[in-house]
Amino acid sequence: MTRVLVLNGPNLGRLGVREPDVYGALSLADLRDSVARWSGELGVDAEVRQTDDEAELVHWLYEAVDSGAHVVLNPAAFTHYSYSLRDAAAMVTKAGLVLVEVHISNPMAREEFRHTSVIGPVATGTVAGFGFDSYRLALRAVAAKA
Ligand code: DQA
């Protein structure tokens, strides 16, 4: 079965309480439930993780490469400046695995510093601006491409 790591960066553990006007009222636990349902429908094996730690996120991308898992990645604020995460993400796509960058909000419609993604150029593709549905669309893209 196609394996997918659904990886989430800093502050996404606070979904539901953090800026609900931007990110909605649902929590990370709700996201886990939705991903479990969607992955069942798509016939993929998806695991949701979240960390505030850049090194841990980098190591999860190594794990994806070593185990042949595809990746749905919400890099959160690391999107905009983390070259270490970018280099690790490049290893995933260079290994022939799919990596979809996702965002709950649409960073292009927000502050200027969010308009730059250092991850986008090494991702397979990006889905942004559809709330939690961004993850569903990303999982569909992985299932279709993997
Ligand atoms: C985000 C957008 C980022 O700019 C922000 O730093 C986040 C969340 C999103 O999902 O919309 O933490 O990645």
Side-chain angles (χ1 to χ4, degrees):
M1 191 184 267
T2 300
R3 274 196 69 231
V4 191
L5 293 181
V6 180
L7 305 180
N8 294 279
N11 303 310
L12 293 172
R14 303 290 291 169
L15 284 173
V17 286
R18 171 196 181 202
E19 298 184 76
D21 50 317
V22 177
Y23 299 112
L26 298 176
S27 67
L28 185 67
D30 294 323
L31 179 65
R32 282 184 206 285
D33 290 345
S34 296
V35 167
R37 193 173 68 251
W38 295 326
S39 54
E41 287 163 8
L42 291 165
V44 300
D45 172 14
E47 185 187 341
V48 178
R49 300 182 191 172
Q50 188 275 329
T51 183
D52 298 328
D53 182 341
E54 188 175 16
E56 189 166 30
L57 211 43
V58 165
H59 291 155
W60 286 344
L61 292 176
Y62 297 166
E63 181 188 328
V65 172
D66 293 343
S67 66
H70 303 280
V71 176
V72 170
L73 174 64
N74 187 340
F78 292 148
T79 306
H80 312 301
Y81 66 90
S82 173
Y83 296 119
S84 58
L85 196 61
R86 176 203 166 104
D87 286 350
M91 291 183 216
V92 175
T93 48
K94 293 268 188 211
L97 297 160
V98 177
L99 183 146
V100 184
E101 176 187 352
V102 299
H103 299 285
I104 297 165
S105 67
N106 177 3
M108 294 304 287
R110 300 181 61 196
E111 303 97 316
E112 190 143 359
F113 76 90
R114 298 186 202 275
H115 297 182
T116 298
S117 171
V118 300
I119 308 297
V122 299
T124 310
T126 301
V127 182
F130 297 98
F132 278 11
D133 240 16
S134 293
Y135 292 84
R136 186 177 63 79
L137 296 167
L139 285 168
R140 282 190 61 174
V142 172
K145 235 185 169 317

